Structures are given as structure tokens and as C-alpha cells.
Amino acid sequence: MARIPEETDVLVIGAGPTGLLLSNLLGSMGVRTTLVERNETTVQEPRAVSIDDESLRALQAAGLAETIAGITVKGYGSIYLGPDGRRFAEVKPHVKEYGFDKRNAFEQPVFEATLRQALARHPSVTPVFGAELSAFHQDSDHVLAEITTGGQARKLRARYMVAADGGRSAVRKALNISLEGSTFREPWLIVDLHSTRNRCFHTEVFCDPRRSVITLPGPGGIRRYEFKLNPGETSDEAEEESFARRLLAEVGPDAEEPIRRQKVYTFHARIAARWRQGRIFLAGDAAHLTPPFAGQGMNSGLRDAHNLAWKLDEALRMADPEDLLDSYEAERKPHAWSMIELALRMGKIMMPASVPRGKLIRMGFRFLGLYGPARDYFAQMKYKPKPKFSAGLIRPAPNVPGAGAIGRMIPQPLVIALDRQQILLDTLLPDRPVVFVFSEAPERWVDAEMQERLHKLGCAVIGLTPEWMNPVSAPFPIVRDSSRFFSENPFRDCLDMALLLRRDRYVAAIEPVRSIAGLIPVITRLTEPPDNRLTPSFAADEELRSKAI
């Protein structure tokens, strides 16, 4: 077991997917991080089974994209079936707007173990398993925590603490932060199989008022079934093996396959009233609980980690980081709620309340399927809310061309460099703010003086040409958008504009290429210039050390 340090920059409570990714991101930034998990290991039973393109981009930022790619099944979709077994809709997205497939299957135990092993890359990260946060207190400068392990209590002082300790978060309860929303009354039986005879590559959704069923593929020939329980069916009854065998026999060939896990869940649609209290933040299920129908519960937590990690890193070096830290809730809470609403809408499709309602839903989808754009909207998952901030660390500019890009995550096209190598865009972007010049000739708009000025502010310069223009040699990298994602709305209006990208690849501000200096005030909100950065001080303070927790 790792020794619990006396001091750390960030204390992370909970080693689920959110806490593990956050710790990996902070470790890649060199932030002193202590990860505390009350269990001796990462999760051993199957839980989440789907990871999306935005999450894979966050894992790419942590240097884990290739590793995670090796444990996933990429690019599966969904087939929606009526009570008669006829398909009435399909979701099979193939566009890789953010550089990865939109839907990918994985096993959470393997995923978490992989993230835990990856922490060994970072000397600044101390993972402590089999330990529990037993008490905490915060003042204006630190969080003072008491960690209990092996029957002994150890005191730890942190600059910030992140509670990623799940839906029943003890930290959230201790802070008296309420959850807003509702609890589904419909319990579902989850049945995970060791093997399957069902050869369908995609998710199958049986939209039957008599009993809704979802079956999801997994890597290595495994499969999950989710059955909605009907009134009068109890959890005790549903968790009997014979009950699961009967339901499996009704929907496919897997009635005799070995069962890995069989458990009843009641799903929630809730969100924390506050995500920050002083130096303490909520993330993942501690901040939001999402029904599973859109596969976004875990993915929303990974987005939290990506949004929060770089802000904590910058805050440790800033004299006044309040604006930066407040932006976490302002940006993430609305988007997390939009994912909850998406799941609720999809639940209404998957769980028609009556036979007539189910018929109306199927007729509607078949009618929409006759119209190409509507069919594409559903098949390519364009209904999924795109990551977009209307408040936070952005500077709106409604009357500027390309203003619709502000607050959005930029696409990640395959780009071609001067040496004709084809790479994903993020491979080129450093982990700092970037002035991203989208123009037929980016080199015309950033002279040596401006480049040096931006460099002193801690900001890089990257040029992107549209697909019809070759890049040229310049004092900063210039590449060509071979995937043409910047030819689509809202980014096609950004030609001859300079986009200020945050460290998490969101557009903070935009300026015409002739007035790039106009981005400088926003840059100063995102990062501390290298020459001005503060070094965190943990000088001995006996009064704080002895203060009761």
C-alpha cells in the first residue's frame, strides 16, 4: 500500500472511472495528486458498457487512447425493434467528428484496471486503495482531511479536493448538497453473460409495451441484457436464475449461456444543486445520476474530469483563480443535465407506455425514414447534444463570423502535415492554450513579434488550411484539414478567423485573423504566463497541522 503523504495539491476521493481519469490527467500535468479509494481494488463486476467519442478524446489527452482502443469494440450501433420483431429504426453512426467512433463497447473492470495501471507513469500521483476519507475540514487555503487505513487515521493537507465517490457520495452529504430531479419507478433487471450465441454486432432494443428489453454487445464474446420489470415483479424474484432464464429465452438464443451477474437496478435522473463548495468539487455520479438509455452516465463523469483537471492545474499557479474554478459548474452542469434529458427522451422510445403509443412511435420513425436528412439525423446520432457552453470561460461575440463556434469543442480531423504524414489534430496540439489560425495562408497573419508575444503568455500558435490548400513551411506548424470537418457548420464560417482554444479543445474566443491581438485578454483568463507562475508552498504550519478535522 502506498504511504499517505502529509501534503498534496489535489486529493481525489473515489477510484471509479471519473477519479481514475482525473488522476491520470493531473499526473500528466505534473500535479501532486493523492487518489483515495475505500475498496482494495478497482471494480470487479460489470457496470458501464459503452464509451463514446468525447470520452475517448479525454483519454487521448491523458495519453491513453491507444491503450483503451485495445480493450474496446469500436463503432457499434443500435437496432430498434417492434413487438413483432421488425426493425423500425437504426442508429449506426460512422462519422468520427472528434477522431473516434461515437459508440464503443468495453468492460468496466478491465477499463478501470487499465486506468489504475496507467497511474504508474506519473511519479506525482499517489494511489491509496483500502483507505477511507473519515473526516474533512476546509479553510481559505487548504482542505484538511483525515484518511483511515488499517485502523489508523492519517492527516493530509490538500490545496483542493474532488469528490468522485459515487451516487451515494459521503462528501456530498457531508456538505449538505442536495440532489435535484427524480427517481424512476421502473426497476430493471441487468443480466451479464460470460458468452453469447447472439451474433448481432449492434445493440438491439425491443420496444414492447409488454416488456422493454435492451441487449448490448461487449468485447470478447460477452453480452448484456436489460429487462424492464413489470408491476408485481419483485427484486427478490427477478434475481432468481430461473427468472432470468425465462426472459432470455423470450428474446434470443442465449437462454442457456452462463450468467456472470444478475441484479435489479432502479435508475435515477438527478443532479447536484451545487458542484463546488470552496476548495471541494463534485464530479461523476457524485454530481449527477443519469438513466442508462443513452449510455451517458459514465461518459458524463469522464467529461467532468477533462473539464476540471486543467483548471485545477492552472489554479495551483494563479493568484486569483476563482473565475476559473467557478466555470467548472457553469459549464458542466447544463451539459450534464442535457444528457439526462436525452436519456429520458430515449427511455420514452424504448419503453412505450401502451400499445397505441408504441405504434405511433414506430410509424413516426418509419415516416421519418423516408426523408434522407431526418433519417441521417437519427442514424448519425445528431440528436445527441453537442458539448456547448453558453457561460463560463468563453467570450461571446454574436456579431462576428463564426461566432457559433464559441463555447464548442472543435472537431478533431485527420490533418496532413508538410511531410505528408496523416495524424489526428490533437496529436499536434500542446497541453496549453492555442491560437488556432484557420486560413488559406495562416502564415500571413502571425509575424515573429506576435508569435513571441503569445509565447510569453504561455500560448502556442497552430495553423490549419482548408482541404483545398496545401500547408507551407512557417515558424509555427501548419496542417491541412483532410477530413473536411471545418467545412461543416458552425466551423465553416471560421475561415480567416483565429480561434482561441482552451486546453480541453473548446473555443474560448474568436477574432478575425487581422486582429489576433484581440484574443490576448482572454488568454490571460485561461493561463498564467510562465514567468509569473506561482510555486505552491507547503511550508510547515503547525497550527494548521494540529487543527482538529
Side-chain angles (χ1 to χ4, degrees), residues 480-499:
R480 180 172 71 86
D481 174 19
S482 63
S483 293
R484 307 187 183 192
F485 285 133
F486 281 80
S487 297
E488 302 292 331
N489 280 329
F491 291 94
R492 68 182 180 187
D493 294 331
C494 295
L495 189 63
D496 288 329
M497 305 295 289
L499 289 68

Side-chain angles (χ1 to χ4, degrees), residues 404-440:
I406 298 171
R408 292 187 181 274
M409 181 189 287
I410 63 166
Q412 183 177 197
L414 283 168
V415 295
I416 296 179
L418 279 173
D419 60 3
R420 299 186 298 281
Q421 291 291 319
Q422 192 175 57
I423 58 174
L424 285 170
L425 176 61
D426 287 7
T427 308
L428 185 69
L429 300 180
D431 186 19
R432 52 186 166 130
V434 172
V435 171
F436 192 68
V437 184
F438 182 39
S439 170
E440 291 184 343

Side-chain angles (χ1 to χ4, degrees), residues 12 44 152 185 193 221 224 231 254 276 306 408 487 519:
V12 180
Q44 300 298 298
Q152 295 184 330
R185 293 186 178 181
L193 302 180
R224 166 174 290 183
D254 284 337
R276 178 191 179 196
H306 198 197
R408 292 187 181 274
S487 297
L519 295 174

Side-chain angles (χ1 to χ4, degrees), residues 293-308:
F293 310 121
Q296 289 300 306
M298 183 203 72
N299 289 289
S300 287
L302 298 183
R303 293 186 195 99
D304 296 344
H306 198 197
N307 185 286
L308 185 57

Side-chain angles (χ1 to χ4, degrees), residues 142-209:
H142 299 91
V143 177
L144 303 168
E146 184 176 271
I147 309 298
T148 301
T149 178
Q152 295 184 330
R154 309 284 178 84
K155 292 184 178 181
L156 179 151
R157 184 168 66 159
R159 295 284 297 280
Y160 297 102
M161 184 170 84
V162 180
D165 53 341
R168 299 176 181 176
S169 171
V171 175
R172 186 189 65 231
K173 292 175 182 176
L175 295 173
N176 199 28
I177 297 176
S178 62
L179 285 175
E180 303 168 341
S182 63
T183 297
F184 280 100
R185 293 186 178 181
E186 299 91 347
W188 283 68
L189 172 65
I190 309 301
V191 180
D192 286 296
L193 302 180
H194 283 288
S195 58
T196 181
R197 295 177 181 272
N198 186 336
R199 296 181 60 181
C200 184
F201 176 73
H202 303 286
T203 293
E204 295 173 305
V205 183
F206 296 85
C207 305
D208 189 338

